[in-house]
Amino acid sequence: MKDIGSLESALIADRVSEKTYSLEHPDVIKWTKFFYQRAEIPQMFRGIWQLNKKKNKFNALVVGAFWQHFSNWVPLFLGMAMVRASNNIKRHYLVQIVFEELGGRNTDEIHPFLFESSIKSVGIDHQRVEEFHKDASFKLSEVLAKHLANMENAKDDFEIFGLNLGLEINAEENISTLLDSLWIASDSKKKLEESLFFQIHNVVEEEHIRLNVANFLRFCETEDAKSSFLAGFDKSVEFWKSFWDGVCTEIKRLS
C-alpha cells in the first residue's frame, strides 16, 4: 500500500462517509450550537484559562499528567459505548472515533502514545506523571471510574450517544487549552505544535463533534429518546467540569 504520510493516514474519522448530516447541514449547525451553549463551555475553562496567563512548570505538569491518564482511559470508555450499542448500524457510527484513538491501522499512532511522546519532548516523562498522580490530592482515577460507570449503566442507546457527544463537545477548547498549558518557552510550543498528536487533533475535532451530533439527529426521533440523550450528554459535561476543576485545584496546590 502506498505511504500517504503519517498525518493523512492517521485521520481515519476525516474519511467517514456521510450522505446526509454534513458539516453544512442546517440541523447540524443548529444543534451543534445548542449543545455547545448547553455545556456552558467558556465557563468550564475559566479557571485554567486564568491560570495559563502566567506560564509555569506546574501548569504543564498537572495538565500533562491529567491528560495522559485521561488519554489512556478514553478508548475504554468509547469501546464500552460500542459494545453496549444494540445493533451494528449504531456500532458503525460509534466505532469511528475509538478506531482513530487506537491509531487506526498503525499501533505507533495510538493517541495516548502520541501524547506521551509530545509531553516527553518538553520534559514531562512517564515517571513524573506517575509520581504526580501518587501525590495528587484530586484523584482523577476515581472521577474516571465514576464516568465509566455512567457508560456501563446507560439505560439505552440514546444515553450512550449523549455520553459520547458530551465527551466531544468541548474538544476544540480541550486541545487549545492543552497546548497553552504545556508550553513555557517558545521552543517548547513549536515542538508541541509540530508533534503528530497536536497536528491530528487540530484537524479532527470538528468532525468528531459533527459525527456525534449526526447520531443525535439520525437516531433520536422521539421526545423520550432526546431526553435520554440529554441525560447522557449532561453527565459527560459534568465529567469535564470535574476534570478541569481538578486541574486547577492541583496547580494551586503545587504553586
Side-chain angles (χ1 to χ4, degrees):
M1 181 178 291
K2 184 178 179 181
D3 181 6
I4 59 175
S6 294
L7 178 58
E8 185 176 353
S9 66
L11 301 181
I12 303 300
D14 196 43
R15 294 195 291 275
V16 174
S17 176
E18 177 57 70
K19 298 176 182 177
T20 304
Y21 296 115
S22 66
L23 277 171
E24 296 77 25
H25 192 288
D27 284 341
V28 171
I29 295 170
K30 170 188 171 182
W31 283 99
T32 300
K33 183 177 180 180
F34 168 84
F35 287 115
Y36 188 93
Q37 291 176 339
R38 184 180 180 91
E40 298 180 328
I41 289 172
Q43 184 173 339
M44 183 188 301
F45 288 92
R46 184 173 57 184
I48 185 60
W49 287 346
Q50 185 66 34
L51 290 170
N52 277 345
K53 289 179 180 179
K54 182 179 180 181
K55 293 290 179 185
N56 66 71
K57 62 183 180 180
F58 302 116
N59 296 39
L61 173 60
V62 174
V63 172
F66 267 51
W67 198 267
Q68 184 65 64
H69 201 162
F70 167 77
S71 188
N72 282 321
W73 168 88
V74 75
L76 177 61
F77 183 85
L78 298 176
M80 178 69 69
M82 185 191 68
V83 168
R84 293 215 55 225
S86 64
N87 63 55
N88 285 333
I89 293 293
K90 292 172 181 176
R91 292 186 190 104
H92 166 85
Y93 289 107
L94 288 167
V95 76
Q96 304 299 329
I97 296 174
V98 69
F99 184 50
E100 182 184 289
E101 286 286 335
L102 291 172
R105 294 177 176 85
N106 188 346
T107 57
D108 291 337
E109 294 174 357
I110 293 174
H111 287 192
F113 298 169
L114 295 180
F115 184 72
E116 185 173 8
S117 177
S118 296
I119 60 175
K120 188 174 182 179
S121 74
V122 294
I124 305 172
D125 60 22
H126 179 75
Q127 183 176 348
R128 291 189 72 198
V129 168
E130 291 304 306
E131 289 173 351
F132 166 77
H133 282 297
K134 181 179 178 181
D135 297 333
S137 60
F138 181 87
K139 300 303 181 185
L140 179 59
S141 59
E142 296 177 4
V143 177
L144 295 175
K146 178 182 178 181
H147 201 42
L148 183 62
N150 285 334
M151 181 63 77
E152 291 174 321
N153 298 324
K155 69 178 184 179
D156 53 32
D157 291 336
F158 313 115
E159 186 172 354
I160 290 169
F161 283 128
L163 284 160
N164 277 34
L165 176 58
L167 203 71
E168 295 286 351
I169 192 63
N170 61 342
E172 292 175 311
E173 289 78 12
N174 277 335
I175 296 305
S176 63
T177 303
L178 267 182
L179 179 62
D180 194 35
S181 301
L182 290 170
W183 74 270
I184 298 174
S186 57
D187 62 333
S188 61
K189 183 179 182 182
K190 189 172 187 295
K191 287 179 181 178
L192 292 165
E193 289 175 331
E194 292 177 351
S195 70
L196 187 54
F197 176 87
F198 280 99
Q199 287 188 65
I200 290 171
H201 287 82
N202 282 327
V203 174
V204 301
E205 302 299 7
E206 184 179 45
E207 167 63 9
H208 287 186
I209 295 168
R210 183 211 63 79
L211 182 61
N212 281 286
V213 171
N215 287 337
F216 170 77
L217 294 169
R218 181 174 285 113
F219 296 112
C220 297
E221 298 178 330
T222 68
E223 290 305 311
D224 284 346
K226 291 175 183 177
S227 177
S228 188
F229 185 101
L230 288 173
F233 177 84
D234 290 344
K235 288 175 184 176
S236 282
V237 169
E238 287 303 312
F239 162 78
W240 281 122
K241 290 177 181 177
S242 294
F243 180 95
W244 287 110
D245 285 350
V247 165
C248 294
T249 296
E250 289 303 306
I251 290 173
K252 291 173 183 176
R253 181 180 67 86
L254 293 174
S255 299

